[in-house]
Amino acid sequence: MPGACELCERTAQPLTEHHLIPRARHNKQAVKKHGRKLLNKVAMLCQSCHSQVHDLFTEEELERKYNTIELLKAHPSVIVWIEWVSKRPGWR
């Protein structure tokens, strides 16, 4: 059953798991800073949004500044993206 993308809120197939703190950034310092629970937290994103997030931000930026859906949605480039993509069908 299709679900809604947590970023653009379109019903999309397929949804992908976006680790809010990229797995490549999971190390001892990240465990101390964020805790294991946050390190394993994911957001379900459509493939279009998932690709755009990784095009816009480095893994370090995602870990340090944009590690929640709310923080991602507040970024000006993401706002523009959501406005654009929300006018497109929810499937690729």
Side-chain angles (χ1 to χ4, degrees):
M1 179 165 98
C5 173
E6 291 183 51
L7 201 57
C8 70
E9 299 178 2
R10 295 177 305 150
T11 300
Q13 282 286 353
L15 292 178
T16 60
E17 289 186 350
H18 168 67
H19 285 82
L20 294 169
I21 297 177
R23 290 189 328 205
R25 303 289 297 175
H26 292 193
N27 55 36
K28 288 181 183 179
Q29 290 81 15
V31 171
K32 285 182 182 179
K33 183 176 181 180
H34 304 291
R36 290 195 186 277
K37 188 174 183 177
L38 184 57
L39 289 181
N40 293 316
K41 191 166 182 182
V42 297
M44 298 307 292
L45 304 181
C46 66
Q47 187 60 55
S48 298
C49 286
H50 200 167
S51 295
Q52 185 67 10
V53 165
H54 285 284
D55 286 346
L56 289 172
F57 305 108
T58 66
E59 291 181 345
E60 183 177 354
E61 289 173 317
L62 289 170
E63 176 194 1
R64 293 181 183 206
K65 298 179 183 176
Y66 305 106
N67 55 29
T68 69
I69 287 294
E70 293 77 19
L71 291 170
L72 285 169
K73 283 184 171 184
H75 189 279
S77 295
V78 175
I79 292 169
V80 170
W81 166 257
I82 291 171
E83 288 174 3
W84 180 84
V85 80
S86 66
K87 297 173 187 166
R88 290 355 182 229
W91 42 265
R92 288 181 90 186

